[in-house]
């Protein structure tokens, strides 16, 4: 009996122990001598009577034996402690006497393990029920067997509507024909799978759900059930969609941005290549939009852009793309459109701006410049945009409004401008720029008041070039500021040299055209101060003339610079007043000393056209009321001079006195015409 690993007891029919092995003495805490002769009932908690124990052992049933071959009892040790025991019995006859052999094993560890398992199951169930994440359990077929509250809320149904049904029954219809994770897990023998699906609630609301499916197997390795996590990611999905929308759309107007435009045009061109169609790109620029920003503020400008985008959206077809390319530039991309359709669309765009923009209760009228590019074999998105942009600038450069279709000659013009830009950069390095001086006459004293300085380029191959042949290439390249500084420095140095060599000359002024970009240059004041200090000329002798006020990018900074310069004594003038968009509204903001009336009005003097004289007279009266001098430019006839004198003009310049002169001609002319 000692060879058995469990405690072994031998009892007679009366339940009296006849024999016990060492394991039995160890398990129950009695010595061998104490066990032999004891009734088996004394080893059972609760003190079962001898008769009952005997009956149980003889019948193989009862409290001692719960099954024919074995069962559990609550053992009782000598020290009074109890333990759960597993018992198996068998009948035995020895010399004709019946005996029962009982094998007892302490199953305390098993009970502890079961208790721990039960507690774990309780905690697991508690975790499932109170988890903020939807958790469901299914059988091997995917039918729901357990659903927590979070899952019920997520799916919009109470447990009674869910249990027994497949979770796939509640998917959005768009997923109906897609393989489920349950099928995939079984088919591919994958334990853990994850994906994102849309679920449809009974009220029609769509919920984005990230679901994790875990395949659970039984002891035989067969699919037993599935454990599923369901997490509502609708908020995250919406945020992602919002971010994607922001990444692809203009935040102000809501139309496509440049990135999305490029994607659309790429697709348009790919389809056009396959089907032999044509793509149209229309580049739209709002003319003089900066005026609105400067005069009415950026809020008004933004409102105008929003309204413009709305009007353009109304004109585009469903398959077209409208994008804000940047600033006040918009692009419309169309597929399956020919030249005639492009012109018709451009005409509708132009007409859409006939109606004024109502901003803060006020009417603002605006026009657009439109460049059109029609795709050809080999065109890319970049080339189409470049062509349409080139055509749009052709409209602006020509001073026209409306639409122009790209032509190769335009690209040649651009290429020539780029070549001019490169050569101009070299011209500055090689000192190829030249100055010309045209006298400005003081009409009241009939004597020279000073000179306007003009720049020429002595091109090594093309000869002497006028500003119109090279200056348009300077602003885009940034060279205009360098040219301005060169002209300004050489002009004041030349004036100082003339005054030094000709003592009779004094207080002559030198007028230099100043580009808008130079006026916005952060070093403008510092550079000007240094130049005055180096040359020694008086600040009032330097007159800076501004032509393209509308092109000033930062008007507040420009006004700050002008005020600082004016405090030094430098004079400012507005050139070509009355031409282009030299608006009267700037006169009250800028420290202006002179207005130079555009020569187009001067040419009308002394003729039958009385309107020019009336306009000039009105300008002179307005300027004098503001303490501003007026200069008439482009005087060629005495009749024009006489009219200016009659109207009270202060100063004038033009071929009537002299054409622009070089460095050697200027002093000689002064000696002949200057009288102290």
């Amino acid at each position: 009996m000692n060879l058995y690993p469990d405690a072994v007891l031998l009892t007679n029919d009366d339940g009296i122990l006849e024999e016990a092995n060492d394991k039995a003495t160890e398990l129950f805490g009695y010595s061998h001598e104490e066990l032999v002769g004891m009734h088996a009932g004394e080893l059972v908690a609760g003190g079962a009577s001898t008769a009952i124990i005997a009956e149980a052992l003889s019948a193989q049933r009862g409290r001692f034996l719960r099954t024919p071959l074995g069962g559990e009892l609550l053992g009782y040790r000598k020290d009074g402690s109890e333990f759960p025991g597993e018992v198996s019995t068998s009948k035995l006859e020895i010399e004709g006497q019946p005996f029962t052999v009982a094998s007892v094993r302490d199953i305390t560890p098993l009970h502890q393990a079961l208790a721990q398992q039960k507690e774990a199951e309780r905690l697991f169930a508690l975790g499932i029920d109170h988890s903020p994440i939807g958790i469901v359990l299914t059988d091997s077929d995917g039918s729901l067997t357990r659903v927590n509250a979070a899952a019920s809320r997520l799916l919009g149904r109470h447990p009674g509507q869910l249990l027994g049904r497949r979770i796939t029954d509640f998917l959005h219809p768009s997923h109906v024909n897609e393989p489920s994770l349950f099928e995939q897990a079984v088919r591919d023998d994958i334990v853990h799978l994850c994906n994102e699906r849309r679920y449809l609630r009974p009220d029609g609301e769509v919920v984005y759900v990230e679901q994790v499916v875990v395949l659970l197997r039984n002891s035989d390795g067969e699919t037993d059930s599935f454990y599923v996590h369901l997490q509502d990611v609708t908020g995250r999905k919406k945020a992602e969609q919002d971010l994607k929308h922001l990444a692809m759309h203009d935040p102000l107007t809501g139309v496509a941005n440049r990135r999305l435009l490029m994607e659309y045009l790429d697709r348009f061109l790919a389809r056009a290549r396959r089907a032999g169609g044509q793509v149209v790109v229309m580049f739209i620029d709002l003319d003089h939009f900066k005026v609105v920003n400067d005069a009415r503020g950026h809020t008004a400008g933004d409102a105008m852009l929003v309204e413009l985008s709305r009007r353009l959206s109304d004109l585009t077809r469903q398959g077209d793309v409208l994008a804000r390319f940047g600033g006040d530039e918009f692009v419309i991309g169309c597929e399956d459109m020919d030249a005639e359709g492009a012109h018709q669309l451009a005409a509708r765009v132009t007409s859409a701006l006939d109606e004024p923009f109502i901003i803060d209760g006020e009417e603002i009228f605006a026009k657009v410049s439109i460049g059109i590019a029609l795709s050809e074999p080999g065109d890319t998105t970049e080339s189409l945009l470049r062509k349409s942009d080139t055509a749009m600038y052709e409209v602006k450069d020509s001073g026209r409004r409306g639409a122009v279709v790209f032509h190769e000659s335009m690209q040649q013009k651009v290429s020539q401008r780029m070549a001019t830009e490169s050569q101009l950069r070299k011209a500055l390095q090689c000192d190829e720029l030249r100055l010309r001086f045209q006298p400005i006459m003081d009409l009241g004293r009939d004597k020279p008041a000073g000179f306007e300085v003009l720049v020429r380029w002595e091109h090594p191959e093309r000869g002497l070039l006028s500003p119109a042949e090279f200056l348009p290439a300077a602003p885009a390249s940034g060279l205009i500021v360098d040219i301005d500084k060169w002209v300004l420095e050489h002009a004041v140095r030349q004036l100082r040299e003339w005054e030094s060599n000709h003592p009779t000359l004094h207080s002559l002024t030198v007028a230099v055209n100043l580009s808008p970009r130079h006026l916005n240059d952060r070093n403008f004041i510092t550079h000007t101060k240094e130049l005055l200090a180096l040359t020694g000329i008086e600040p009032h002798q330097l007159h800076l003339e501004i032509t393209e006020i509308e092109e000033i990018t930062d008007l507040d900074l420009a006004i700050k610079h002008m005020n600082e310069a004016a405090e030094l004594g430098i004079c400012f003038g507005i050139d070509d007043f009355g031409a282009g968009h030299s608006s009267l509204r700037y006169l009250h903001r800028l420290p202006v000393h002179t207005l130079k009336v555009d020569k187009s009005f001067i040419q009308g003097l002394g003729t039958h056209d009385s309107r020019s004289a009336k306009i000039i007279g009105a300008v002179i009266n307005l300027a004098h009321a503001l303490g501003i001098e007026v200069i008439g430019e482009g005087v060629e006839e005495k009749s024009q001079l006489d009219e200016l004198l009659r109207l009270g003009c202060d100063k004038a310049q033009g071929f009537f006195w002299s054409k622009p002169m070089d460095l050697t001609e200027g002093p000689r002319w002064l000696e002949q015409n200057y009288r102290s």
Side-chain angles (χ1 to χ4, degrees):
M1 292 175 62
N2 287 326
L3 297 178
Y4 288 95
D6 297 331
V8 178
L9 302 171
L10 180 66
T11 67
N12 59 26
D13 276 351
D14 296 326
I16 302 300
L17 296 175
E18 297 285 348
E19 187 59 69
N21 68 354
D22 294 342
K23 287 289 184 180
T25 63
E26 181 182 338
L27 176 62
F28 289 98
Y30 293 95
S31 66
H32 181 268
E33 290 75 10
E34 291 173 324
L35 282 175
V36 174
M38 289 180 64
H39 191 278
E42 296 179 57
L43 302 179
V44 179
S49 68
T50 302
I52 293 173
I53 295 300
E55 182 183 354
L57 289 175
S58 63
Q60 296 284 313
R61 65 180 184 274
R63 185 178 179 186
F64 192 81
L65 295 175
R66 294 186 179 181
T67 67
L69 296 178
E72 289 188 10
L73 57 76
L74 190 61
Y76 188 73
R77 295 189 178 95
K78 182 180 179 179
D79 60 7
S81 62
E82 299 174 352
F83 67 90
E86 184 181 67
V87 179
S88 61
T89 63
S90 60
K91 290 300 238 179
L92 180 68
E93 256 188 40
I94 301 175
E95 296 178 356
Q97 294 294 321
F99 292 92
T100 299
V101 178
S103 176
V104 183
R105 180 164 60 92
D106 185 355
I107 58 172
T108 298
L110 176 61
H111 273 219
Q112 290 173 341
L114 290 174
Q116 291 173 353
Q117 180 181 350
K118 186 175 181 180
E119 178 64 12
E121 289 176 351
R122 186 185 71 82
L123 293 175
F124 179 69
L126 192 64
I128 288 178
D129 292 339
H130 294 279
S131 172
I133 297 175
I135 298 175
V136 301
L137 298 176
T138 79
D139 59 19
S140 59
D141 294 327
S143 297
L144 295 168
T145 58
R146 182 166 188 162
V147 179
N148 73 349
S152 291
R153 289 192 300 270
L154 187 150
L155 297 173
R157 295 168 174 86
H158 58 74
Q161 296 173 306
L162 297 171
L163 294 174
R165 297 185 63 182
R166 293 173 180 267
I167 193 170
T168 51
D169 295 343
F170 310 109
L171 283 170
H172 189 275
S174 61
H175 301 305
V176 168
N177 296 322
E178 297 175 355
S180 71
L181 289 184
F182 303 97
E183 297 170 352
Q184 186 180 349
V186 175
R187 183 186 67 242
D188 300 335
D189 194 24
I190 300 175
V191 174
H192 179 281
L193 287 172
C194 177
N195 67 5
E196 191 177 281
R197 289 291 182 267
R198 289 181 295 168
Y199 281 83
L200 192 62
R201 287 175 172 165
D203 59 3
E205 183 182 359
V206 175
V207 185
Y208 287 86
V209 176
E210 183 179 81
Q211 54 186 20
V212 178
V213 173
V214 180
L215 184 153
L216 305 176
R217 295 190 178 94
N218 59 22
S219 58
D220 296 327
E222 298 172 340
T223 300
D224 179 70
S225 57
F226 292 95
Y227 176 87
V228 185
H229 264 203
L230 302 172
Q231 184 163 5
D232 187 347
V233 294
T234 306
R236 187 191 74 191
K237 199 70 178 178
K238 185 178 184 302
E240 289 174 355
Q241 291 171 346
D242 290 344
L243 287 174
K244 184 177 180 181
H245 187 274
L246 286 174
M248 293 294 187
H249 292 79
D250 174 53
L252 175 65
T253 63
V255 301
N257 62 10
R258 186 180 304 196
R259 179 180 174 185
L260 185 56
L261 170 70
M262 302 288 277
E263 291 187 7
Y264 265 96
L265 293 181
D266 284 343
R267 291 197 294 269
F268 288 177
L269 286 171
R271 287 196 288 262
R273 282 190 286 269
R274 291 193 299 268
Q278 191 170 44
V279 176
V280 169
V281 171
M282 192 170 293
F283 207 106
I284 303 168
D285 181 87
L286 191 60
D287 296 327
H288 306 295
F289 172 69
K290 191 175 179 299
V291 176
V292 179
N293 272 338
D294 290 340
R296 301 177 183 270
H298 288 282
T299 301
D302 288 348
M304 192 171 179
L305 292 176
V306 171
E307 173 61 16
L308 175 60
S309 68
R310 186 195 64 77
R311 295 186 190 185
L312 294 177
S313 295
D314 290 342
L315 300 176
T316 56
R317 303 171 303 181
Q318 185 174 0
D320 298 337
V321 57
L322 168 65
R324 184 182 177 198
F325 201 71
D328 60 341
E329 296 174 334
F330 290 82
V331 172
I332 297 177
C334 312
E335 57 182 341
D336 298 326
M337 180 178 284
D338 56 17
E340 182 180 357
H343 281 294
Q344 291 174 352
L345 177 58
R348 291 197 298 273
V349 170
T350 302
S351 298
L353 274 78
D354 289 341
E355 291 294 322
F357 293 85
I358 309 299
I359 307 297
D360 295 332
E362 297 185 29
E363 292 185 345
I364 300 176
F365 289 88
K367 298 295 180 184
V368 290
S369 298
I370 304 173
I372 302 172
L374 308 175
S375 69
E376 298 176 347
D379 262 328
T380 63
T381 293
E382 289 78 9
S383 67
L384 269 181
L385 287 170
R386 185 173 61 250
K387 288 178 179 179
S388 61
D389 183 49
T390 300
M392 184 272 292
Y393 274 104
E394 179 70 17
V395 177
K396 284 189 172 294
D397 289 346
S398 65
R400 299 194 304 272
R401 298 293 175 263
V404 169
V405 176
F406 173 81
H407 188 271
E408 286 299 331
S409 60
M410 299 178 190
Q411 188 60 48
Q412 294 171 5
K413 185 177 178 181
V414 172
S415 299
Q416 183 177 356
R417 179 176 293 182
M418 292 178 64
T420 300
E421 174 190 325
S422 177
Q423 295 170 4
L424 187 55
R425 194 178 300 277
K426 183 179 178 182
L428 276 169
Q429 298 172 350
C430 298
D431 199 25
E432 294 174 0
L433 298 184
R434 302 290 180 262
L435 294 184
R436 294 293 183 267
F437 301 84
Q438 186 171 40
I440 299 174
M441 300 298 294
D442 184 332
L443 298 185
R445 297 188 298 165
D446 190 25
K447 61 184 294 185
F451 289 92
E452 179 181 7
V453 179
L454 308 170
V455 65
R456 303 288 187 267
W457 179 7
E458 194 170 323
H459 195 282
E461 298 173 358
R462 299 164 60 190
L464 197 65
L465 304 181
S466 69
E469 295 178 89
F470 63 89
L471 280 187
S477 64
L479 288 173
I480 191 66
V481 176
D482 294 331
I483 293 175
D484 273 3
K485 289 181 178 179
W486 187 93
V487 172
L488 186 60
E489 180 177 344
H490 283 73
V492 295
R493 286 183 183 277
Q494 191 59 53
L495 179 62
R496 167 52 68 198
E497 182 180 330
W498 284 351
E499 289 186 339
S500 299
N501 295 336
H502 302 274
T504 57
L505 303 177
H506 57 85
S507 295
L508 286 177
T509 62
V510 58
V512 178
N513 281 307
L514 195 68
S515 69
R517 185 168 294 191
H518 191 183
L519 197 54
N520 276 148
D521 187 86
R522 300 286 176 177
N523 297 318
F524 170 73
I525 293 297
T526 302
H527 178 261
T528 305
K529 283 182 178 179
E530 291 175 351
L531 189 57
L532 292 175
L534 285 173
T535 58
I537 73 166
E538 295 297 326
H540 68 83
Q541 292 180 267
L542 178 58
H543 287 216
L544 300 177
E545 296 184 348
I546 307 166
T547 303
E548 300 166 319
I549 299 177
E550 307 295 337
E551 302 300 323
I552 298 175
T553 55
D554 189 338
L555 188 60
D556 290 335
L557 178 61
I559 292 174
K560 176 177 179 292
H561 285 166
M562 291 177 70
N563 285 327
E564 290 179 7
E567 289 175 2
L568 296 175
I570 296 171
C571 297
F572 282 92
I574 296 180
D575 198 4
D576 298 334
F577 189 80
H581 297 269
S582 299
S583 174
L584 292 172
R585 67 176 173 274
Y586 292 109
L587 293 182
H588 78 284
R589 298 192 63 189
L590 305 179
V592 176
H593 299 83
T594 62
L595 290 183
K596 187 174 286 186
V597 179
D598 186 68
K599 63 182 179 181
S600 61
F601 296 101
I602 304 299
Q603 291 169 354
L605 296 178
T607 67
H608 296 295
D609 182 10
S610 62
R611 289 175 299 178
S612 293
K614 291 179 180 179
I615 293 173
I616 294 174
V619 170
I620 291 173
N621 291 334
L622 173 64
H624 286 174
L626 296 173
I628 298 173
E629 288 188 339
V630 178
I631 303 172
E633 64 175 339
V635 178
E636 299 182 2
E637 305 291 339
K638 187 176 185 304
S639 59
Q640 296 169 346
L641 172 60
D642 291 340
E643 277 291 285
L644 288 176
L645 287 168
R646 183 183 68 81
L647 294 169
C649 189
D650 303 290
K651 298 174 183 177
Q653 68 184 89
F655 287 180
F656 179 75
W657 292 278
S658 173
K659 293 182 178 181
M661 300 173 286
D662 63 22
L663 298 180
T664 59
E665 294 172 323
R668 289 200 299 268
W669 187 90
L670 279 173
E671 290 175 357
Q672 296 171 4
N673 294 275
Y674 188 84
R675 296 181 300 278
S676 301

